[in-house]
Amino acid sequence: VLAVSYEFIYFSSKAINTTDNANYKNYIDKNISLINNLKGKDQSFFRILDLVDRGRQSNFITANYNEGLAFGYKTIRSYTSSPNKNQLEFFSSLGYPAYEWTMNAINYPILPVDAFFNVKYLISDRDFYDKELILNSSESNKRVYVNEYLLPLFFNITDRKDTNFDSNEPFDNINKLYSYLAGRDVKILNKLDIKKYADNGSIYVNYESLAEPYIKHYFYLDTNNQSEEASLFLNNELLTKYTGWLSPRVIPVKFKRGLNELRLDRDLGIKNAQLVDINLNSFRNIIDELKEKSSNIQNILIKDGYIKLDVINGITPYLVTSIPFDTGWDIYINGEKVQYDHVFGMLMRIPLYENVTNHIEMKYTIPGFKVGGLLSFLGIIILIFWHVINYVNRKGNKVC
């Protein structure tokens, strides 16, 4: 262990001698400056989605998902060799597909999903969001956009019985999630009539657009062969690699007025094709409704492994949060430990006392941490004891 630790410290202190070293250092310095600048302007809890990482290819696909870890910001984009499968399934159900159950491919923003997960800032070289935040940054191809439709972290919930995603279509699941939050049936994504067909080795989807500024569109195509690589074009301009490893499923599309043509450059068979729109004015009304519904959730304090908040005069039987469910949480209401569960396989649901103020404390400990620490301590004691016995035995042999 000491040898490995020394080797790691020694070589991490040395500059890697490659032809790309200067560019890499420049990239690191600019990103640190950009993130620190953003954090300096906003002290609230938020997540960032950066779509312009160093490893992004010309077809807009990347596997560099640990920039949040590297530059110290919260994000929905990550990679780990031991992920929470429930989180992967949840994101996949909403349009960010899971690959090999190690990560979700998040190469394009999905506004209602990002709004739910507190993605307040989008870093991109394309204008997926409307409001750009002007920062003093030397990273010319990285522009910061503000999500103006951000939801709170916590929601008052009058529970519904159906809390599972039972559809393979992400647009249906997004509508179902927002219906659950609102406590009534809402449809923020509306399916549109499209013409789809295969011709000359490609798949085509045609749509006539009025190009209203308050309308955004999202496209989803499910083929008979998702493993073969193919690219998606809009009016003959490349949008993305759309099938194959780490390809997206749901992507935003920006139509011109008149007839628009989406084309997948290989005929992999059409299993399902959907185009939806979201009316931003209607979506704003839903966001405002959910914020108002949760206005009695106050005094929120968030630290690493610790959350504190008050639910003033509880008006619903449950509190639901977008913070992922994990058995490592211990939750106390008015000083008493309470049991909690989850909905949709991932969202933490906490019971509330109605008509009284709920003072809530949430404390997190890595599952197995205490047991692991105890076993490690016992292992060290056994190892010391074994060395002492060996030493005594060797010394006794010498005396004889």
Side-chain angles (χ1 to χ4, degrees):
V1 174
L2 291 176
V4 172
S5 299
Y6 171 77
E7 183 180 13
F8 176 78
I9 294 171
Y10 175 79
F11 283 106
S12 64
S13 66
K14 303 295 182 181
I16 300 174
N17 186 21
T18 68
T19 56
D20 198 34
N21 184 53
N23 291 333
Y24 181 69
K25 185 178 184 306
N26 186 48
Y27 176 82
I28 296 296
D29 292 341
K30 287 183 176 181
N31 273 275
I32 290 175
S33 175
L34 177 63
I35 298 302
N36 287 344
N37 197 345
L38 189 55
K39 286 182 176 181
K41 290 180 177 294
D42 191 340
Q43 306 301 315
S44 66
F45 178 90
F46 59 82
R47 291 188 174 95
I48 298 171
L49 179 55
D50 187 350
L51 300 179
V52 194
D53 63 79
R54 184 170 174 269
R56 190 182 69 172
Q57 303 171 18
S58 59
N59 58 11
F60 303 107
I61 301 299
T62 184
N64 285 26
Y65 281 175
N66 277 343
E67 302 241 324
L69 179 64
F71 299 116
Y73 62 84
K74 299 174 182 66
T75 182
I76 60 173
R77 206 183 196 202
S78 64
Y79 168 82
T80 173
S81 57
S82 56
N84 184 320
K85 188 177 180 181
N86 289 336
Q87 288 184 223
L88 293 174
E89 290 178 343
F90 186 87
F91 275 96
S92 186
S93 296
L94 298 178
Y96 289 132
Y99 284 89
E100 297 298 329
W101 297 112
T102 57
M103 60 181 163
N104 295 96
I106 303 178
N107 299 316
Y108 284 84
I110 306 173
L111 179 61
V113 180
D114 299 346
F116 176 73
F117 281 106
N118 301 97
V119 178
K120 188 173 183 178
Y121 298 107
L122 175 73
I123 300 176
S124 176
D125 52 0
R126 292 173 287 175
D127 56 346
F128 295 115
Y129 291 175
D130 296 323
K131 183 178 179 180
E132 183 176 357
L133 183 66
I134 307 300
L135 293 176
N136 296 322
S137 171
S138 57
E139 189 65 76
S140 59
N141 69 327
K142 289 196 173 190
R143 302 193 297 271
V144 179
Y145 293 88
V146 182
N147 183 352
E148 300 181 89
Y149 304 89
L150 205 66
L151 281 170
L153 267 173
F154 299 91
F155 305 88
N156 285 308
I157 295 293
T158 302
D159 206 29
R160 294 180 141 201
K161 292 182 179 179
D162 187 9
T163 57
N164 294 300
F165 292 134
D166 48 16
S167 174
N168 293 324
E169 299 178 0
F171 301 136
D172 290 341
N173 293 331
I174 293 172
N175 283 334
K176 187 171 186 177
L177 173 63
Y178 274 81
S179 296
Y180 176 78
L181 298 176
R184 60 184 179 84
D185 290 335
V186 298
K187 188 174 288 187
I188 60 172
L189 297 174
N190 304 287
K191 295 180 182 179
L192 304 172
D193 292 329
I194 54 176
K195 180 182 179 182
K196 53 184 182 290
Y197 60 94
D199 183 49
N200 198 27
S202 296
I203 293 175
Y204 294 87
V205 174
N206 293 339
Y207 176 69
E208 187 87 24
S209 173
L210 297 177
E212 302 98 331
Y214 55 89
I215 297 292
K216 287 188 179 296
H217 295 89
Y218 292 90
F219 178 67
Y220 169 79
L221 174 64
D222 191 10
T223 69
N224 293 326
N225 188 344
Q226 293 294 132
S227 61
E228 295 291 331
E229 291 194 2
S231 295
L232 185 67
F233 295 80
L234 173 61
N235 299 324
N236 291 320
E237 181 178 342
L238 176 66
L239 286 181
T240 183
K241 185 184 86 169
Y242 191 72
T243 59
W245 177 246
L246 294 182
S247 297
R249 290 278 68 78
V250 172
I251 64 166
V253 286
K254 198 170 185 177
F255 291 129
K256 66 180 183 180
R257 181 179 290 272
L259 183 64
N260 293 265
E261 178 187 84
L262 286 159
R263 175 175 61 88
L264 189 71
D265 63 359
R266 293 184 66 183
D267 182 4
L268 300 177
I270 304 174
K271 186 182 294 184
N272 188 11
Q274 292 184 3
L275 180 69
V276 300
D277 69 12
I278 179 170
N279 185 309
L280 295 180
N281 295 330
S282 300
F283 187 46
R284 168 76 71 187
N285 292 335
I286 295 294
I287 297 296
D288 291 342
E289 175 187 331
L290 293 175
K291 286 181 176 180
E292 177 62 28
K293 187 178 176 182
S294 301
S295 61
N296 67 324
I297 302 172
Q298 301 174 10
N299 307 320
I300 300 174
L301 173 66
I302 300 177
K303 296 181 180 180
D304 189 18
Y306 180 80
I307 301 173
K308 185 179 180 181
L309 67 146
D310 294 328
V311 181
I312 309 299
N313 296 326
I315 56 175
T316 61
Y318 293 102
L319 182 76
V320 167
T321 175
S322 57
I323 297 171
F325 171 86
D326 193 286
T327 56
W329 286 104
D330 288 320
I331 300 179
Y332 302 84
I333 298 181
N334 299 337
E336 295 184 9
K337 188 173 182 179
V338 298
Q339 299 298 314
Y340 58 94
D341 59 3
H342 57 77
V343 293
F344 296 105
M346 198 199 82
L347 307 180
M348 200 152 36
R349 179 175 62 178
I350 304 167
L352 293 177
Y353 299 114
E354 294 187 62
N355 303 317
V356 299
T357 295
N358 293 253
H359 301 289
I360 300 176
E361 279 190 296
M362 304 170 62
K363 302 175 182 179
Y364 185 78
T365 304
I366 299 172
F369 178 77
K370 293 179 181 179
V371 174
L374 177 61
L375 292 176
S376 297
F377 176 74
L378 291 176
I380 293 171
I381 295 299
I382 292 171
L383 184 63
I384 293 173
F385 182 75
W386 180 75
H387 276 291
V388 169
I389 294 297
N390 278 348
Y391 174 77
V392 171
N393 288 339
R394 286 196 303 270
K395 197 167 185 180
N397 292 334
K398 288 181 180 178
V399 171
C400 294

